[in-house]
Amino acid sequence: MSDILREEQDKYLLIKEKLDKYRNGLDDSLYLAKQMSDPNMASIMVRAYSRQIYLYEKNKGQPYFAKIIFEGRDEPVVAYIGRIGFADLNDDDIIVDWRAPISELYYNSKLGQTQYMVENHPEKGELTLKRQIAFKNGEIISVYDIDNQLSSDEFLLPYLTGSADNRLKSIVSTIQEEQDQIIRIPINKNIIVQGVAGCGKTTVALHRLSYLIYNHREIYNAGEYYIISPNNVFKKYISTLLEDLDADQAQSSTVKQFVENIVTGYNILDKHEQYEYLTKRNKNTAYLKFKSGKGFRKVLDSFVKEFEQTTFSRDLVVEGVKLLPGEEVLNVYNECNKISVEEKVEIWIDKLNHYLRTNAKIKENLKSFVENKQITLKKKFDIEHKLQQGLGKELKAYFNKNLDIMQLYCQFIKNCDKYSTDPLINELKTETLANLNKKTISEDDFGAILYLYSKLKCNKECEKICQVLIDEAQDLSYLQFLALRNIFKSATFSIFGDLAQSLYEYQVISSWDELADVFQNNLYIELRKSYRTTVEITANANEQLHNLGLSNAENVIRHGDEVVYNEITLSSIKNTIQNEIDAFIKRGYASVAVVCQNEDEVNKVKQLIDGEIKGVQNFAVMTVMEIKGLEFEGVILYNENSYDMSRLKQKQLYVAKTRALHSLVINRF
């Protein structure tokens, strides 16, 4: 046993003693919380201490993973860094949380002179030790000092060669410098991260969420953070990691769920269902691109403007007496500078009440009405009383606050050609109306509906959100981004995606530059290194990036098998696929996937396999659309010849190839 290992084992015994005291203190605090006379406060404190106990128990087997020594202005700081921080009764750190400012030294600094930031002030000094510490069953089994000569590739290799179980895991002990820099970007910045397949986009995104929750816990609670997920499968996929990162209290939704909360009585198709519909019927999709972009925003804006001008240009009549002509009512409304009509109405009611109470012309009108015997003195008194009390009820009735968004959307589509001369508008109108008449809306409607909602309604709960995280963002349209920006108007956004994996080209953005007018002064960052695939697989998949006119992906220097190509026939395909699966099983792979271009190919493969595959813990036959975002140790591409040279098919091929961690087999008919 090395002296360093023995030293750290002895130190751990002292730390463990402190941690045991901490744990016992939690039990005592929990007991006292349960005895509190105030039931509401008792409930809050019980939840808080129960949460701390849960996190302690979850991490006690490996309480920390690193040690650093930093010699600053005062005495040297020795910090043990863990997934969760623990402090004694004096608030002295036993374990430093990986999200704490000083932990940045472990991720971003080399040995020698350096600094880290504390509340925007630099703490300067010398980093004299970076040590990785590994536990097994609650015991230290190895220590490793990281010097400036060790490359990140060497450091990561042991972590990248293992098996995959399709459960997203924490990377707090292996976060790379370029990843950590994204995680620690201040909350007041909008960021767009373009990352190649396998660069860890989702993992980095969730670690950033955890970092922001931890460092702004005095200002925002965890429920004021929001995740926009691509689908419900993804939400389940990330749930364990969110829990591990103490970020599971963040709210989450899909774009489809947003629409479902607005729309009732309609069959709502998601993007995958729409894709299947379009491809099977070979539908022209040019109008869908227009429907999701900046041009259609102008059409919607014209409709909303007309709606406002029509709604707020009616004469104001109280007790049968015209108090204000429509043009004056509209002038007051136009003074209200807010995003949504609903917000404007709230301000408009206050402004109009003040205007009615103080306007001398109103008083003259009432006086002349009485003199001309058009109203009685009692009615005049009633009107004056209402004016003094405020006309909230009457004005809300004047404008129906409970807008039916779908009713207005249908009205808009019926008349959309009135607001646009674009040659695609008639096809858009015809196709959309056909679906609406069948009580069906699809992904291409989502942006327009949500944008209309954001212009007409206000969502008080969404306005409380401080940060919105969007993953798989390449699958959102311009209008969807804009609508979400309006709905979460107090929030900043962290956007993660890969344009090379945007498989719904008929309605999504083609460049992040298209969002320049949506997210002002955003930070754009690229992650070009893949940690998933081997050198051989990355080189093969780079062929598709080249065909798409995109830069090659880089990767950790991890070699594996050469990519295998099989020329097969219909008569040999069954045996070929079975042999390929058997070969993966012999290598001990726990996860294997056969990737198909469409549902028809999936059904063929399932028939060929004819039953359950034994010897593989996680086996799947999936379309490219379904497998996006997942990874497997071995991947079989059913038929490369199903993919032509079109941009969409090349993107699909890129996605399919980059699902493989260790081995890729490509079949060709």
Side-chain angles (χ1 to χ4, degrees):
M1 183 184 294
S2 70
D3 291 341
I4 295 176
L5 178 59
R6 188 177 292 107
E7 175 195 333
E8 289 301 341
Q9 287 177 335
D10 291 343
K11 181 64 179 177
Y12 173 59
L13 294 176
L14 298 174
I15 294 174
K16 190 174 183 302
E17 187 177 336
K18 292 182 180 180
L19 288 173
D20 289 341
K21 288 181 180 178
Y22 170 85
R23 177 65 176 85
N24 293 332
L26 288 179
D27 283 336
D28 295 340
S29 298
L30 180 62
Y31 174 80
L32 292 173
K34 291 178 178 178
Q35 312 310 312
M36 296 177 72
S37 56
D38 184 340
N40 290 330
M41 183 57 67
S43 177
I44 293 170
M45 298 308 294
V46 166
R47 283 200 304 271
Y49 289 122
S50 297
R51 179 82 176 171
Q52 290 181 49
I53 291 171
Y54 166 78
L55 291 172
Y56 174 87
E57 293 295 332
K58 192 172 183 66
N59 290 279
K60 68 179 181 180
Q62 184 172 343
Y64 51 90
F65 57 83
K67 174 184 180 180
I68 60 171
I69 299 177
F70 180 73
E71 298 183 13
R73 292 172 295 182
D74 303 317
E75 63 183 39
V77 177
V78 180
Y80 285 87
I81 302 170
R83 287 179 171 82
I84 298 293
F86 301 105
D88 61 22
L89 294 175
N90 299 319
D91 278 338
D92 294 326
D93 288 324
I94 305 171
I95 309 294
V96 176
D97 197 290
W98 73 272
R99 298 165 291 187
I102 195 171
S103 299
E104 183 181 353
L105 295 172
Y106 177 72
Y107 298 113
N108 286 338
S109 293
K110 293 181 178 180
L111 298 180
Q113 294 296 317
T114 186
Q115 66 178 42
Y116 68 98
M117 303 299 290
V118 180
E119 297 180 347
N120 296 320
H121 296 290
E123 288 286 336
K124 297 182 179 181
E126 183 180 5
L127 184 65
T128 59
L129 180 74
K130 282 175 68 173
R131 178 171 292 167
Q132 186 187 50
I133 301 173
F135 282 77
K136 186 175 181 180
N137 299 325
E139 299 290 335
I140 295 177
I141 58 170
S142 68
V143 296
Y144 194 86
D145 285 353
I146 304 170
D147 60 30
N148 292 345
Q149 281 68 52
L150 179 69
S151 72
S152 62
D153 286 6
E154 291 175 280
F155 175 68
L156 284 172
L157 272 176
Y159 297 92
L160 301 177
T161 54
S163 61
D165 60 6
N166 275 319
R167 184 177 68 87
L168 209 56
K169 298 174 184 175
S170 169
I171 59 167
V172 294
S173 61
T174 59
I175 294 171
Q176 298 298 286
E177 183 175 350
E178 72 271 18
Q179 296 173 326
D180 191 67
Q181 288 172 354
I182 293 170
I183 290 168
R184 295 175 189 267
I185 291 172
I187 195 172
N188 61 347
K189 300 288 186 181
N190 292 312
I191 67 170
I192 297 175
V193 179
Q194 162 63 35
V196 298
C199 70
K201 290 185 295 295
T202 299
T203 310
V204 171
L206 298 184
H207 281 70
R208 169 165 171 75
L209 179 69
S210 175
Y211 171 83
L212 294 176
I213 291 173
Y214 176 85
N215 283 282
H216 299 279
R217 58 196 182 280
E218 302 297 329
I219 306 171
Y220 307 111
N221 64 60
E224 292 175 314
Y225 295 79
Y226 211 101
I227 304 169
I228 304 293
S229 300
N231 49 57
N232 286 323
V233 173
F234 181 88
K235 287 172 67 176
K236 185 177 180 181
Y237 179 58
I238 67 174
S239 59
T240 302
L241 180 54
L242 285 172
E243 189 176 282
D244 289 346
L245 293 172
D246 195 24
D248 53 320
Q249 296 177 62
Q251 298 186 60
S252 179
S253 176
T254 66
V255 174
K256 183 181 178 183
Q257 285 171 331
F258 259 103
V259 176
E260 288 172 336
N261 291 331
I262 297 170
V263 177
T264 57
Y266 284 79
N267 177 35
I268 303 176
L269 305 179
D270 60 22
K271 56 172 63 74
H272 181 66
E273 292 169 316
Q274 184 183 18
Y275 174 82
E276 289 294 320
Y277 170 83
L278 291 170
T279 51
K280 284 182 179 179
R281 289 161 180 78
N282 197 27
K283 286 278 188 179
N284 177 34
T285 58
Y287 79 91
L288 294 175
K289 191 75 172 177
F290 172 67
K291 190 178 178 180
S292 304
K294 294 184 180 183
F296 204 54
R297 171 194 182 175
K298 294 178 180 178
V299 183
L300 283 158
D301 284 341
S302 297
F303 170 76
V304 172
K305 185 177 180 180
E306 184 180 87
F307 171 79
E308 291 181 275
Q309 300 296 308
T310 303
T311 304
F312 297 98
S313 61
R314 302 195 299 268
D315 296 340
L316 181 61
V317 178
V318 178
E319 298 288 344
V321 177
K322 185 172 87 171
L323 296 182
L324 279 180
E327 58 267 23
E328 290 191 51
V329 176
L330 183 61
N331 287 339
V332 176
Y333 176 81
N334 287 335
E335 292 174 4
C336 308
N337 186 25
K338 287 288 181 178
I339 292 175
S340 75
V341 170
E342 190 171 11
E343 290 175 295
K344 288 181 183 178
V345 168
E346 293 178 2
I347 299 170
W348 171 73
I349 288 174
D350 291 336
K351 281 182 172 286
L352 203 51
N353 275 325
H354 177 75
Y355 186 77
L356 292 169
R357 285 195 297 268
T358 58
N359 194 290
K361 192 176 180 180
I362 302 289
K363 296 177 182 177
E364 286 296 320
N365 285 345
L366 285 173
K367 182 180 178 183
S368 66
F369 273 117
V370 172
E371 291 174 350
N372 294 330
K373 308 294 184 187
Q374 292 179 328
I375 61 172
T376 63
L377 286 170
K378 181 180 181 307
K379 187 176 280 191
K380 177 177 180 291
F381 174 80
D382 290 341
I383 294 173
E384 289 175 333
H385 180 72
K386 282 188 175 184
L387 291 176
Q388 290 302 315
Q389 295 298 311
L391 292 173
K393 185 177 179 181
E394 284 77 5
L395 293 173
K396 285 180 182 179
Y398 177 96
F399 173 79
N400 182 10
K401 202 171 181 181
N402 298 314
L403 290 170
D404 187 325
I405 297 298
M406 275 309 295
Q407 185 177 339
L408 286 171
Y409 182 63
C410 291
Q411 179 186 330
F412 162 69
I413 293 297
K414 287 177 183 176
N415 299 284
C416 61
D417 52 337
K418 173 182 170 183
Y419 310 103
S420 174
T421 58
D422 192 285
L424 295 169
I425 197 70
N426 288 322
E427 185 180 3
L428 183 155
K429 176 180 176 179
T430 302
E431 292 289 337
T432 307
L433 277 179
N435 284 334
L436 292 174
N437 290 336
K438 292 185 288 189
K439 290 291 182 179
T440 297
I441 61 174
S442 53
E443 181 81 14
D444 59 276
D445 294 298
F446 292 0
I449 291 171
L450 288 174
Y451 183 68
L452 198 59
Y453 174 84
S454 76
K455 295 290 287 184
L456 297 173
K457 302 283 285 182
C458 60
N459 189 316
K460 298 295 185 184
E461 290 303 309
C462 288
E463 289 176 14
K464 297 176 184 177
I465 300 299
C466 63
Q467 167 79 186
V468 177
L469 188 156
I470 304 178
D471 200 12
E472 298 290 338
Q474 73 280 347
D475 291 338
L476 269 64
S477 70
Y478 170 84
L479 270 182
Q480 289 176 3
F481 279 115
L482 184 61
L484 292 171
R485 165 73 278 173
N486 290 348
I487 292 168
F488 295 100
K489 62 182 181 182
S490 301
T492 49
F493 284 69
S494 296
I495 297 166
F496 292 78
D498 180 12
L499 294 178
Q501 298 183 65
S502 59
L503 305 185
Y504 307 96
E505 282 203 319
Y506 48 82
Q507 63 188 38
V508 299
I509 61 171
S510 51
S511 166
W512 297 116
D513 292 340
E514 294 177 36
L515 302 181
D517 64 332
V518 180
F519 303 102
Q520 306 295 327
N521 301 316
N522 63 74
L523 292 175
Y524 176 77
I525 308 132
E526 289 190 3
L527 289 175
R528 299 231 48 85
K529 180 171 280 190
S530 172
Y531 300 97
R532 178 186 297 150
T533 57
T534 62
V535 170
E536 291 76 14
I537 296 171
T538 300
N540 193 283
N542 277 340
E543 294 174 13
Q544 273 60 59
L545 293 181
H546 175 76
N547 294 338
L548 291 164
L550 300 173
S551 302
N552 283 350
E554 305 166 7
N555 66 337
V556 174
I557 306 302
R558 178 173 70 92
H559 286 278
D561 298 330
E562 292 292 335
V563 175
V564 175
Y565 282 90
N566 288 322
E567 300 292 336
I568 60 178
T569 63
L570 288 173
S571 60
S572 67
I573 186 172
K574 181 177 181 178
N575 288 334
T576 301
I577 291 179
Q578 190 61 64
N579 290 338
E580 290 163 350
I581 295 170
D582 290 342
F584 286 158
I585 293 172
K586 286 179 181 178
R587 293 180 191 180
Y589 289 174
S591 61
V592 173
V594 180
V595 187
C596 303
Q597 207 269 318
N598 52 46
E599 292 288 352
D600 289 340
E601 288 188 355
V602 167
N603 293 331
K604 286 179 184 177
V605 172
K606 287 181 176 180
Q607 288 174 2
L608 289 169
I609 293 171
D610 191 26
E612 184 179 336
I613 298 296
K614 296 180 180 178
V616 183
Q617 183 181 341
N618 182 14
F619 176 77
V621 183
M622 307 174 81
T623 66
V624 176
M625 298 296 183
E626 293 168 330
I627 205 170
K628 187 154 67 79
L630 303 179
E631 58 187 33
F632 294 81
E633 290 166 81
V635 168
I636 301 166
L637 186 63
Y638 174 69
N639 180 19
E640 189 184 42
N641 291 336
S642 295
Y643 307 82
D644 58 31
M645 291 299 295
S646 67
R647 286 188 61 83
L648 175 59
K649 292 296 190 290
Q650 287 298 298
K651 286 181 178 182
Q652 290 178 340
L653 200 51
Y654 175 72
V655 169
K657 289 179 177 181
T658 55
R659 300 310 95 194
L661 275 78
H662 309 315
S663 298
L664 173 64
V665 175
I666 298 174
N667 293 327
R668 292 169 170 169
F669 281 94

